mmCIF file of all heavy atoms in Angstrom:
data_model
loop_
_atom_site.group_PDB
_atom_site.id
_atom_site.type_symbol
_atom_site.label_atom_id
_atom_site.label_comp_id
_atom_site.label_asym_id
_atom_site.label_seq_id
_atom_site.Cartn_x
_atom_site.Cartn_y
_atom_site.Cartn_z
ATOM 1 N N MET A 510 35.992 83.716 115.153
ATOM 2 C CA MET A 510 35.502 85.039 115.613
ATOM 3 C C MET A 510 35.084 84.942 117.036
ATOM 4 O O MET A 510 34.500 83.947 117.482
ATOM 5 C CB MET A 510 34.318 85.491 114.722
ATOM 6 C CG MET A 510 34.457 85.532 113.310
ATOM 7 S SD MET A 510 33.005 86.282 112.509
ATOM 8 C CE MET A 510 31.670 85.151 112.998
ATOM 9 N N PRO A 511 35.312 86.055 117.769
ATOM 10 C CA PRO A 511 34.682 86.142 119.108
ATOM 11 C C PRO A 511 33.167 86.475 118.963
ATOM 12 O O PRO A 511 32.757 87.301 118.205
ATOM 13 C CB PRO A 511 35.333 87.427 119.699
ATOM 14 C CG PRO A 511 35.756 88.266 118.572
ATOM 15 C CD PRO A 511 36.069 87.237 117.472
ATOM 16 N N VAL A 512 32.338 85.647 119.557
ATOM 17 C CA VAL A 512 30.893 85.825 119.508
ATOM 18 C C VAL A 512 30.297 85.646 120.874
ATOM 19 O O VAL A 512 30.911 85.065 121.814
ATOM 20 C CB VAL A 512 30.286 84.826 118.558
ATOM 21 C CG1 VAL A 512 30.622 85.109 117.110
ATOM 22 C CG2 VAL A 512 30.533 83.362 118.926
ATOM 23 N N THR A 513 29.083 86.022 121.036
ATOM 24 C CA THR A 513 28.344 85.867 122.305
ATOM 25 C C THR A 513 26.921 85.269 121.925
ATOM 26 O O THR A 513 26.232 85.837 121.061
ATOM 27 C CB THR A 513 28.067 87.236 123.008
ATOM 28 O OG1 THR A 513 29.394 87.903 123.193
ATOM 29 C CG2 THR A 513 27.255 87.057 124.286
ATOM 30 N N MET A 514 26.640 84.210 122.561
ATOM 31 C CA MET A 514 25.398 83.505 122.348
ATOM 32 C C MET A 514 24.428 83.990 123.428
ATOM 33 O O MET A 514 24.703 84.019 124.585
ATOM 34 C CB MET A 514 25.555 81.981 122.448
ATOM 35 C CG MET A 514 24.438 81.187 121.824
ATOM 36 S SD MET A 514 24.899 79.501 121.350
ATOM 37 C CE MET A 514 25.046 78.766 123.010
ATOM 38 N N ILE A 515 23.141 84.196 123.023
ATOM 39 C CA ILE A 515 22.190 84.763 123.904
ATOM 40 C C ILE A 515 20.876 84.033 123.768
ATOM 41 O O ILE A 515 20.445 83.549 122.692
ATOM 42 C CB ILE A 515 21.904 86.253 123.442
ATOM 43 C CG1 ILE A 515 23.100 86.996 123.092
ATOM 44 C CG2 ILE A 515 20.948 86.988 124.470
ATOM 45 C CD1 ILE A 515 22.935 88.265 122.258
ATOM 46 N N ARG A 516 20.114 83.900 124.916
ATOM 47 C CA ARG A 516 18.784 83.350 124.900
ATOM 48 C C ARG A 516 17.921 84.050 125.999
ATOM 49 O O ARG A 516 18.336 84.131 127.154
ATOM 50 C CB ARG A 516 18.795 81.843 125.135
ATOM 51 C CG ARG A 516 17.411 81.252 125.292
ATOM 52 C CD ARG A 516 16.648 81.209 123.998
ATOM 53 N NE ARG A 516 15.203 80.894 124.147
ATOM 54 C CZ ARG A 516 14.356 80.707 123.153
ATOM 55 N NH1 ARG A 516 14.740 80.871 121.904
ATOM 56 N NH2 ARG A 516 13.064 80.393 123.395
ATOM 57 N N THR A 517 16.800 84.425 125.583
ATOM 58 C CA THR A 517 15.795 84.926 126.551
ATOM 59 C C THR A 517 14.815 83.793 126.830
ATOM 60 O O THR A 517 14.400 83.106 125.915
ATOM 61 C CB THR A 517 15.028 86.132 125.948
ATOM 62 O OG1 THR A 517 15.916 87.122 125.480
ATOM 63 C CG2 THR A 517 14.046 86.773 127.026
ATOM 64 N N ASN A 518 14.510 83.577 128.165
ATOM 65 C CA ASN A 518 13.586 82.560 128.527
ATOM 66 C C ASN A 518 12.568 83.150 129.449
ATOM 67 O O ASN A 518 12.809 84.207 130.062
ATOM 68 C CB ASN A 518 14.374 81.434 129.335
ATOM 69 C CG ASN A 518 15.378 80.654 128.444
ATOM 70 O OD1 ASN A 518 15.049 80.176 127.458
ATOM 71 N ND2 ASN A 518 16.697 80.761 128.843
ATOM 72 N N ILE A 519 11.443 82.468 129.606
ATOM 73 C CA ILE A 519 10.455 82.868 130.567
ATOM 74 C C ILE A 519 10.244 81.629 131.508
ATOM 75 O O ILE A 519 9.957 80.487 131.013
ATOM 76 C CB ILE A 519 9.118 83.331 129.937
ATOM 77 C CG1 ILE A 519 9.348 84.622 129.200
ATOM 78 C CG2 ILE A 519 8.039 83.470 130.970
ATOM 79 C CD1 ILE A 519 8.179 85.180 128.506
ATOM 80 N N ILE A 520 10.340 81.801 132.819
ATOM 81 C CA ILE A 520 10.285 80.798 133.786
ATOM 82 C C ILE A 520 9.122 81.092 134.684
ATOM 83 O O ILE A 520 9.109 82.190 135.321
ATOM 84 C CB ILE A 520 11.632 80.775 134.642
ATOM 85 C CG1 ILE A 520 12.866 80.654 133.760
ATOM 86 C CG2 ILE A 520 11.544 79.498 135.564
ATOM 87 C CD1 ILE A 520 12.923 79.565 132.803
ATOM 88 N N GLU A 521 8.253 80.185 134.753
ATOM 89 C CA GLU A 521 7.029 80.328 135.643
ATOM 90 C C GLU A 521 7.549 80.560 137.055
ATOM 91 O O GLU A 521 8.413 79.765 137.551
ATOM 92 C CB GLU A 521 6.112 79.120 135.610
ATOM 93 C CG GLU A 521 4.959 79.137 136.614
ATOM 94 C CD GLU A 521 3.943 80.265 136.336
ATOM 95 O OE1 GLU A 521 3.914 80.741 135.137
ATOM 96 O OE2 GLU A 521 3.239 80.608 137.245
ATOM 97 N N GLY A 522 7.006 81.566 137.769
ATOM 98 C CA GLY A 522 7.473 81.847 139.120
ATOM 99 C C GLY A 522 8.594 82.803 139.224
ATOM 100 O O GLY A 522 8.896 83.391 140.227
ATOM 101 N N VAL A 523 9.281 83.053 138.076
ATOM 102 C CA VAL A 523 10.388 84.037 138.043
ATOM 103 C C VAL A 523 10.082 85.155 137.000
ATOM 104 O O VAL A 523 10.178 86.310 137.363
ATOM 105 C CB VAL A 523 11.726 83.299 137.622
ATOM 106 C CG1 VAL A 523 12.874 84.347 137.484
ATOM 107 C CG2 VAL A 523 12.029 82.216 138.644
ATOM 108 N N GLY A 524 9.637 84.754 135.830
ATOM 109 C CA GLY A 524 9.521 85.747 134.762
ATOM 110 C C GLY A 524 10.607 85.527 133.711
ATOM 111 O O GLY A 524 11.214 84.514 133.613
ATOM 112 N N PRO A 525 10.880 86.625 132.955
ATOM 113 C CA PRO A 525 11.916 86.577 131.993
ATOM 114 C C PRO A 525 13.413 86.447 132.605
ATOM 115 O O PRO A 525 13.613 87.068 133.655
ATOM 116 C CB PRO A 525 11.767 87.822 131.162
ATOM 117 C CG PRO A 525 11.152 88.771 132.163
ATOM 118 C CD PRO A 525 10.249 87.964 132.973
ATOM 119 N N THR A 526 14.238 85.651 132.028
ATOM 120 C CA THR A 526 15.606 85.604 132.407
ATOM 121 C C THR A 526 16.433 85.579 131.071
ATOM 122 O O THR A 526 15.922 85.327 130.023
ATOM 123 C CB THR A 526 15.895 84.320 133.141
ATOM 124 O OG1 THR A 526 15.699 83.182 132.381
ATOM 125 C CG2 THR A 526 15.036 84.185 134.383
ATOM 126 N N LEU A 527 17.705 85.878 131.302
ATOM 127 C CA LEU A 527 18.613 85.942 130.077
ATOM 128 C C LEU A 527 19.741 84.917 130.411
ATOM 129 O O LEU A 527 20.224 84.811 131.461
ATOM 130 C CB LEU A 527 19.147 87.324 129.955
ATOM 131 C CG LEU A 527 19.671 87.784 128.593
ATOM 132 C CD1 LEU A 527 18.494 87.654 127.562
ATOM 133 C CD2 LEU A 527 20.209 89.227 128.685
ATOM 134 N N GLN A 528 20.152 84.317 129.268
ATOM 135 C CA GLN A 528 21.362 83.467 129.260
ATOM 136 C C GLN A 528 22.360 84.081 128.305
ATOM 137 O O GLN A 528 22.022 84.488 127.238
ATOM 138 C CB GLN A 528 21.028 82.015 128.862
ATOM 139 C CG GLN A 528 20.224 81.278 129.850
ATOM 140 C CD GLN A 528 19.864 79.875 129.379
ATOM 141 O OE1 GLN A 528 19.487 79.626 128.241
ATOM 142 N NE2 GLN A 528 20.171 78.930 130.265
ATOM 143 N N ILE A 529 23.643 84.100 128.728
ATOM 144 C CA ILE A 529 24.673 84.796 127.902
ATOM 145 C C ILE A 529 25.972 83.923 127.998
ATOM 146 O O ILE A 529 26.521 83.735 129.086
ATOM 147 C CB ILE A 529 24.992 86.206 128.497
ATOM 148 C CG1 ILE A 529 23.764 87.078 128.454
ATOM 149 C CG2 ILE A 529 26.085 86.864 127.690
ATOM 150 C CD1 ILE A 529 23.895 88.330 129.311
ATOM 151 N N ILE A 530 26.417 83.499 126.893
ATOM 152 C CA ILE A 530 27.673 82.727 126.807
ATOM 153 C C ILE A 530 28.630 83.304 125.759
ATOM 154 O O ILE A 530 28.262 83.258 124.540
ATOM 155 C CB ILE A 530 27.377 81.216 126.574
ATOM 156 C CG1 ILE A 530 26.618 80.594 127.737
ATOM 157 C CG2 ILE A 530 28.701 80.460 126.387
ATOM 158 C CD1 ILE A 530 27.364 80.559 129.021
ATOM 159 N N GLU A 531 29.763 83.688 126.182
ATOM 160 C CA GLU A 531 30.781 84.209 125.234
ATOM 161 C C GLU A 531 31.630 83.010 124.800
ATOM 162 O O GLU A 531 31.900 82.137 125.518
ATOM 163 C CB GLU A 531 31.630 85.251 125.909
ATOM 164 C CG GLU A 531 30.863 86.495 126.287
ATOM 165 C CD GLU A 531 31.683 87.550 126.970
ATOM 166 O OE1 GLU A 531 32.778 87.179 127.543
ATOM 167 O OE2 GLU A 531 31.305 88.709 127.018
ATOM 168 N N GLY A 532 32.172 83.128 123.565
ATOM 169 C CA GLY A 532 33.071 82.104 123.068
ATOM 170 C C GLY A 532 33.619 82.501 121.696
ATOM 171 O O GLY A 532 33.625 83.666 121.371
ATOM 172 N N TYR A 533 33.930 81.469 120.950
ATOM 173 C CA TYR A 533 34.531 81.676 119.605
ATOM 174 C C TYR A 533 33.943 80.727 118.626
ATOM 175 O O TYR A 533 33.550 79.542 118.955
ATOM 176 C CB TYR A 533 36.045 81.439 119.633
ATOM 177 C CG TYR A 533 36.855 82.550 120.348
ATOM 178 C CD1 TYR A 533 37.008 82.546 121.677
ATOM 179 C CD2 TYR A 533 37.305 83.593 119.574
ATOM 180 C CE1 TYR A 533 37.662 83.561 122.330
ATOM 181 C CE2 TYR A 533 38.055 84.617 120.261
ATOM 182 C CZ TYR A 533 38.216 84.524 121.592
ATOM 183 O OH TYR A 533 38.914 85.627 122.230
ATOM 184 N N THR A 534 33.693 81.230 117.431
ATOM 185 C CA THR A 534 33.457 80.262 116.300
ATOM 186 C C THR A 534 34.724 79.535 115.943
ATOM 187 O O THR A 534 35.899 80.101 116.105
ATOM 188 C CB THR A 534 32.917 81.034 115.067
ATOM 189 O OG1 THR A 534 33.907 81.983 114.606
ATOM 190 C CG2 THR A 534 31.646 81.777 115.400
ATOM 191 N N CYS A 535 34.526 78.321 115.473
ATOM 192 C CA CYS A 535 35.709 77.448 115.249
ATOM 193 C C CYS A 535 35.700 77.018 113.692
ATOM 194 O O CYS A 535 34.661 76.790 113.203
ATOM 195 C CB CYS A 535 35.674 76.239 116.116
ATOM 196 S SG CYS A 535 35.783 76.547 117.853
ATOM 197 N N VAL A 536 36.874 76.945 113.202
ATOM 198 C CA VAL A 536 37.023 76.409 111.800
ATOM 199 C C VAL A 536 37.647 74.986 111.956
ATOM 200 O O VAL A 536 38.786 74.880 112.405
ATOM 201 C CB VAL A 536 37.902 77.337 110.924
ATOM 202 C CG1 VAL A 536 38.073 76.788 109.509
ATOM 203 C CG2 VAL A 536 37.331 78.762 110.874
ATOM 204 N N LEU A 537 36.795 74.064 111.599
ATOM 205 C CA LEU A 537 37.278 72.668 111.716
ATOM 206 C C LEU A 537 38.017 72.163 110.435
ATOM 207 O O LEU A 537 37.874 72.777 109.378
ATOM 208 C CB LEU A 537 36.059 71.723 111.949
ATOM 209 C CG LEU A 537 35.208 72.033 113.166
ATOM 210 C CD1 LEU A 537 34.145 70.936 113.323
ATOM 211 C CD2 LEU A 537 35.982 72.277 114.419
ATOM 212 N N ASP A 538 38.801 71.211 110.638
ATOM 213 C CA ASP A 538 39.312 70.428 109.459
ATOM 214 C C ASP A 538 38.212 70.110 108.440
ATOM 215 O O ASP A 538 37.129 69.734 108.868
ATOM 216 C CB ASP A 538 40.022 69.166 109.954
ATOM 217 C CG ASP A 538 40.441 68.338 108.771
ATOM 218 O OD1 ASP A 538 39.689 67.549 108.152
ATOM 219 O OD2 ASP A 538 41.736 68.415 108.340
ATOM 220 N N PRO A 539 38.426 70.453 107.179
ATOM 221 C CA PRO A 539 37.310 70.273 106.216
ATOM 222 C C PRO A 539 36.639 68.881 106.200
ATOM 223 O O PRO A 539 35.380 68.765 106.136
ATOM 224 C CB PRO A 539 37.969 70.584 104.852
ATOM 225 C CG PRO A 539 39.163 71.466 105.210
ATOM 226 C CD PRO A 539 39.630 70.984 106.561
ATOM 227 N N GLU A 540 37.472 67.861 106.419
ATOM 228 C CA GLU A 540 36.796 66.547 106.434
ATOM 229 C C GLU A 540 36.044 66.327 107.707
ATOM 230 O O GLU A 540 35.010 65.683 107.749
ATOM 231 C CB GLU A 540 37.866 65.494 106.321
ATOM 232 C CG GLU A 540 37.360 64.094 106.226
ATOM 233 C CD GLU A 540 36.533 63.803 105.026
ATOM 234 O OE1 GLU A 540 36.409 64.607 104.136
ATOM 235 O OE2 GLU A 540 35.847 62.647 104.984
ATOM 236 N N VAL A 541 36.555 66.814 108.901
ATOM 237 C CA VAL A 541 35.759 66.706 110.100
ATOM 238 C C VAL A 541 34.425 67.432 110.016
ATOM 239 O O VAL A 541 33.408 66.999 110.342
ATOM 240 C CB VAL A 541 36.640 67.275 111.318
ATOM 241 C CG1 VAL A 541 35.791 67.325 112.530
ATOM 242 C CG2 VAL A 541 37.855 66.335 111.491
ATOM 243 N N HIS A 542 34.551 68.662 109.417
ATOM 244 C CA HIS A 542 33.262 69.442 109.232
ATOM 245 C C HIS A 542 32.370 68.741 108.363
ATOM 246 O O HIS A 542 31.062 68.600 108.670
ATOM 247 C CB HIS A 542 33.605 70.793 108.601
ATOM 248 C CG HIS A 542 32.415 71.465 107.954
ATOM 249 N ND1 HIS A 542 31.582 72.207 108.752
ATOM 250 C CD2 HIS A 542 31.937 71.538 106.721
ATOM 251 C CE1 HIS A 542 30.550 72.688 107.947
ATOM 252 N NE2 HIS A 542 30.816 72.208 106.745
ATOM 253 N N ARG A 543 32.810 68.116 107.238
ATOM 254 C CA ARG A 543 31.916 67.401 106.317
ATOM 255 C C ARG A 543 31.162 66.238 107.048
ATOM 256 O O ARG A 543 29.970 66.139 106.936
ATOM 257 C CB ARG A 543 32.681 66.952 105.106
ATOM 258 C CG ARG A 543 31.819 66.260 104.071
ATOM 259 C CD ARG A 543 32.559 65.555 103.047
ATOM 260 N NE ARG A 543 33.296 64.398 103.606
ATOM 261 C CZ ARG A 543 32.737 63.214 103.881
ATOM 262 N NH1 ARG A 543 31.410 63.030 103.618
ATOM 263 N NH2 ARG A 543 33.448 62.203 104.378
ATOM 264 N N ILE A 544 31.941 65.486 107.742
ATOM 265 C CA ILE A 544 31.363 64.309 108.413
ATOM 266 C C ILE A 544 30.310 64.655 109.388
ATOM 267 O O ILE A 544 29.277 64.156 109.457
ATOM 268 C CB ILE A 544 32.454 63.392 108.988
ATOM 269 C CG1 ILE A 544 33.355 62.849 107.894
ATOM 270 C CG2 ILE A 544 31.882 62.287 109.791
ATOM 271 C CD1 ILE A 544 34.617 62.071 108.412
ATOM 272 N N LEU A 545 30.642 65.682 110.280
ATOM 273 C CA LEU A 545 29.711 66.052 111.316
ATOM 274 C C LEU A 545 28.546 66.791 110.774
ATOM 275 O O LEU A 545 27.366 66.552 111.186
ATOM 276 C CB LEU A 545 30.440 67.006 112.305
ATOM 277 C CG LEU A 545 31.696 66.434 113.051
ATOM 278 C CD1 LEU A 545 32.217 67.422 114.078
ATOM 279 C CD2 LEU A 545 31.375 65.095 113.703
ATOM 280 N N ASP A 546 28.806 67.654 109.813
ATOM 281 C CA ASP A 546 27.711 68.513 109.202
ATOM 282 C C ASP A 546 26.801 67.629 108.561
ATOM 283 O O ASP A 546 25.407 67.840 108.638
ATOM 284 C CB ASP A 546 28.305 69.486 108.294
ATOM 285 C CG ASP A 546 27.422 70.661 108.018
ATOM 286 O OD1 ASP A 546 26.818 71.231 108.948
ATOM 287 O OD2 ASP A 546 27.277 71.038 106.854
ATOM 288 N N GLU A 547 27.140 66.633 107.769
ATOM 289 C CA GLU A 547 26.248 65.814 106.985
ATOM 290 C C GLU A 547 25.423 64.859 107.838
ATOM 291 O O GLU A 547 24.487 64.251 107.330
ATOM 292 C CB GLU A 547 26.976 65.072 105.897
ATOM 293 C CG GLU A 547 27.491 66.018 104.824
ATOM 294 C CD GLU A 547 28.234 65.294 103.659
ATOM 295 O OE1 GLU A 547 28.219 64.103 103.693
ATOM 296 O OE2 GLU A 547 28.717 65.982 102.867
ATOM 297 N N ARG A 548 25.759 64.684 109.113
ATOM 298 C CA ARG A 548 24.913 63.964 109.952
ATOM 299 C C ARG A 548 23.576 64.606 110.358
ATOM 300 O O ARG A 548 22.633 63.998 110.857
ATOM 301 C CB ARG A 548 25.680 63.597 111.261
ATOM 302 C CG ARG A 548 26.775 62.512 111.100
ATOM 303 C CD ARG A 548 27.579 62.326 112.324
ATOM 304 N NE ARG A 548 26.709 61.678 113.399
ATOM 305 C CZ ARG A 548 26.844 60.422 113.758
ATOM 306 N NH1 ARG A 548 27.674 59.632 113.104
ATOM 307 N NH2 ARG A 548 26.061 59.927 114.708
ATOM 308 N N THR A 549 23.530 65.960 110.103
ATOM 309 C CA THR A 549 22.301 66.691 110.384
ATOM 310 C C THR A 549 21.620 67.005 109.059
ATOM 311 O O THR A 549 20.687 66.412 108.625
ATOM 312 C CB THR A 549 22.633 67.975 111.141
ATOM 313 O OG1 THR A 549 23.299 67.574 112.391
ATOM 314 C CG2 THR A 549 21.398 68.781 111.449
ATOM 315 N N ASP A 550 22.049 68.116 108.370
ATOM 316 C CA ASP A 550 21.519 68.445 107.126
ATOM 317 C C ASP A 550 22.507 69.228 106.334
ATOM 318 O O ASP A 550 22.772 70.470 106.809
ATOM 319 C CB ASP A 550 20.203 69.197 107.242
ATOM 320 C CG ASP A 550 19.353 69.329 105.987
ATOM 321 O OD1 ASP A 550 19.992 69.715 104.949
ATOM 322 O OD2 ASP A 550 18.197 68.960 105.994
ATOM 323 N N ARG A 551 23.096 68.800 105.300
ATOM 324 C CA ARG A 551 24.126 69.476 104.560
ATOM 325 C C ARG A 551 23.635 70.715 103.806
ATOM 326 O O ARG A 551 24.412 71.366 103.170
ATOM 327 C CB ARG A 551 24.823 68.499 103.644
ATOM 328 C CG ARG A 551 23.987 67.935 102.577
ATOM 329 C CD ARG A 551 24.691 66.917 101.673
ATOM 330 N NE ARG A 551 25.661 67.677 100.810
ATOM 331 C CZ ARG A 551 26.347 67.024 99.872
ATOM 332 N NH1 ARG A 551 26.285 65.768 99.612
ATOM 333 N NH2 ARG A 551 27.148 67.766 99.075
ATOM 334 N N SER A 552 22.326 70.995 103.766
ATOM 335 C CA SER A 552 21.766 72.152 103.114
ATOM 336 C C SER A 552 21.527 73.296 103.990
ATOM 337 O O SER A 552 20.939 74.323 103.577
ATOM 338 C CB SER A 552 20.473 71.701 102.363
ATOM 339 O OG SER A 552 19.460 71.430 103.246
ATOM 340 N N TRP A 553 21.986 73.291 105.242
ATOM 341 C CA TRP A 553 21.707 74.364 106.225
ATOM 342 C C TRP A 553 23.046 75.073 106.588
ATOM 343 O O TRP A 553 24.072 74.478 106.531
ATOM 344 C CB TRP A 553 21.034 73.788 107.463
ATOM 345 C CG TRP A 553 19.641 73.195 107.240
ATOM 346 C CD1 TRP A 553 18.901 73.291 106.073
ATOM 347 C CD2 TRP A 553 18.893 72.483 108.221
ATOM 348 N NE1 TRP A 553 17.702 72.660 106.234
ATOM 349 C CE2 TRP A 553 17.689 72.162 107.552
ATOM 350 C CE3 TRP A 553 19.098 72.048 109.511
ATOM 351 C CZ2 TRP A 553 16.690 71.412 108.213
ATOM 352 C CZ3 TRP A 553 18.106 71.338 110.117
ATOM 353 C CH2 TRP A 553 16.891 71.032 109.494
#
């Protein structure tokens, strides 16, 4: 899917700023997904 990732930050001396990155979600090979995903937490 096309998606846009967003983050609001507050920087001392500047104030609020925005970060915006467009990209795509990816569907990985199921085995690649399993191996990478389970290195973090498979329940999330």
Side-chain angles (χ1 to χ4, degrees):
M510 305 187 299
V512 293
T513 303
M514 196 163 73
I515 315 161
R516 176 66 192 187
T517 308
N518 298 300
I519 293 181
I520 311 298
E521 175 66 23
V523 177
T526 65
L527 204 61
Q528 294 180 309
I529 301 165
I530 295 293
E531 297 177 338
Y533 287 86
T534 60
C535 299
V536 180
L537 305 187
D538 174 273
E540 183 63 10
V541 172
H542 164 80
R543 184 191 66 79
I544 293 170
L545 302 186
D546 200 44
E547 290 184 6
R548 287 174 68 103
T549 300
D550 193 310
R551 62 180 289 187
S552 66
W553 296 351

